């Protein structure tokens, strides 16, 4: 069962999403799903700019106050862990652990400020892979940041395959970042997933992007649906 005490809420910014997923201005005009967006600032800022974004995550079963309390309770722990493992990250766009803390908190505060309105408008949906409550072809683009492949030790190959096919069902195009598991090696499920998606008839490519924070994580998986 998904419980809040197991979650370490940690959300990236709109700018990080555009870099991770090579999002072009024209692509922002489509209907976008952010799957596993958690407390990221992407939906809030994209909506402010006039984009149509829906985020889904089991985290959205919880109230604003509960999520905020969990962010406060885990923030120092995440920052301390990052400080201890600084060599695993590239300190260029974000130059220090202190700056990282500020960037992440700004993104999560943007989420928290937007969450009540977004819930009412149906922009934050309590839902979890591998089964999503959206009609087939509902979105032009689905983005999945720091969930699939990253958690290869927690989520097995069957989950990865079912989730990728589900994202392809609801969106014409799917982008997943990063392709590395925690620890920094390529996910053991990447190759098999690419093969499975190609066998299902989809166009699959691995593209280099303009973002690298976890050292070596600079590629995204891009899947264009066969009938997209
Ligand atoms: C590391 S966070 C990434 C948050 C955000 N995408 C970002 O990059 O800043 C992973 C997120 O995946 C969500 N998650 C966990 N299991 C999920 C599932 N089965 N389906 C969708 N989201 C899930 C968690 O609640 C969490 O918010």
């Amino acid at each position: 069962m998904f419980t809040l005490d197991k979650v370490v809420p940690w959300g990236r910014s709109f700018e990080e999403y555009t870099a991770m997923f090579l999002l072009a201005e024209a692509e922002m005009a489509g209907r976008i799903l952010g799957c596993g967006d958690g407390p990221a600032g992407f939906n809030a800022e994209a909506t402010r700019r006039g984009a149509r974004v829906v985020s889904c995550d089991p985290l959205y079963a919880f109230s604003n106050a509960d999520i905020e309390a969990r962010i406060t309770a885990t923030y120092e722990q995440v920052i301390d862990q990052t400080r201890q493992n600084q060599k695993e990250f590239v300190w260029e766009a974000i130059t220090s652990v202190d700056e990282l803390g500020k960037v992440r908190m700004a993104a999560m505060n943007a989420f928290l400020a937007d969450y009540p309105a977004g819930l009412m408008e149906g922009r934050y949906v309590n839902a979890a892979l591998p089964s999503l409550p959206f009609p087939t072809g509902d979105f032009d683009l689905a983005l999945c940041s720091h969930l699939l492949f990253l958690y290869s030790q927690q989520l097995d190959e069957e989950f990865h395959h079912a989730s990728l096919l589900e994202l392809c069902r609801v969106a014409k195009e799917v982008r997943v970042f990063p392709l590395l598991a925690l620890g920094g090696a390529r996910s053991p499920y990447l190759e098999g997933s690419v093969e499975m998606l190609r066998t299902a008839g989809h166009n699959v490519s691995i593209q280099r992007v303009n973002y690298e924070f976890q050292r070596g994580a600079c590629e995204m998986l891009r899947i264009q649906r066969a009938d997209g």
Side-chain angles (χ1 to χ4, degrees):
M1 200 181 100
F2 189 87
T3 55
L4 199 53
D5 61 347
K6 287 197 196 131
V7 181
V8 179
W10 201 233
R12 286 162 190 81
S13 67
F14 174 84
E15 288 74 18
E16 289 182 283
Y17 266 64
T18 53
M20 283 187 288
F21 293 113
L22 283 180
L23 287 176
E25 194 84 27
E27 289 167 336
M28 290 303 297
R31 190 167 142 78
I32 299 176
L33 174 68
C35 186
D37 272 353
F42 176 66
N43 190 325
E45 179 59 21
T47 301
R48 199 188 65 75
R49 293 173 184 230
R52 293 170 297 151
V53 175
V54 172
S55 299
C56 68
D57 195 301
L59 184 69
Y60 306 148
F62 299 96
S63 70
N64 199 313
D66 285 345
I67 298 173
E68 186 171 17
R70 189 71 192 139
I71 290 171
T72 307
T74 56
Y75 177 82
E76 286 301 331
Q77 175 193 331
V78 180
I79 287 293
D80 280 353
Q81 274 172 13
T82 310
R83 216 180 287 282
Q84 282 167 31
N85 299 300
Q86 281 190 56
K87 282 200 217 116
E88 292 177 18
F89 302 95
V90 175
W91 299 100
E92 281 173 15
I94 296 172
T95 57
S96 67
V97 178
D98 289 340
E99 189 185 339
L100 176 73
K102 287 193 186 116
V103 169
R104 292 285 186 273
M105 270 321 294
M108 292 191 282
N109 283 331
F111 161 79
L112 288 169
D114 182 51
Y115 185 51
L119 273 179
M120 296 219 317
E121 292 161 14
R123 289 188 288 107
Y124 294 107
V125 177
N126 169 21
L129 288 170
S131 177
L132 301 178
F134 306 112
T136 297
D138 202 15
F139 297 94
D140 296 297
L141 183 60
L143 308 174
C144 187
S145 155
H146 294 83
L147 172 60
L148 293 175
F149 301 124
L150 186 66
Y151 292 101
S152 288
Q153 271 183 7
Q154 292 81 357
L155 307 168
D156 66 14
E157 184 169 39
E158 192 184 339
F159 178 90
H160 276 76
H161 287 194
S163 296
L164 289 164
L165 288 174
E166 179 67 345
L167 288 168
C168 289
R169 182 186 70 76
V170 301
K172 294 188 185 86
E173 180 169 334
V174 177
R175 296 182 189 179
V176 184
F177 181 94
L179 308 182
L180 303 188
L182 290 171
R186 252 197 179 190
S187 164
Y189 304 136
L190 181 62
E191 217 175 293
S193 296
V194 169
E195 203 179 305
M196 178 279 297
L197 290 161
R198 286 193 175 135
T199 303
H202 302 303
N203 284 321
V204 187
S205 58
I206 290 175
Q207 285 191 4
R208 201 183 163 94
V209 301
N210 300 324
Y211 181 90
E212 182 179 357
F213 182 55
Q214 181 191 10
R215 198 170 284 286
C218 53
E219 293 176 320
M220 72 166 169
L221 183 67
R222 187 171 179 195
I223 311 153
Q224 289 160 301
R225 215 170 63 188
D227 58 357

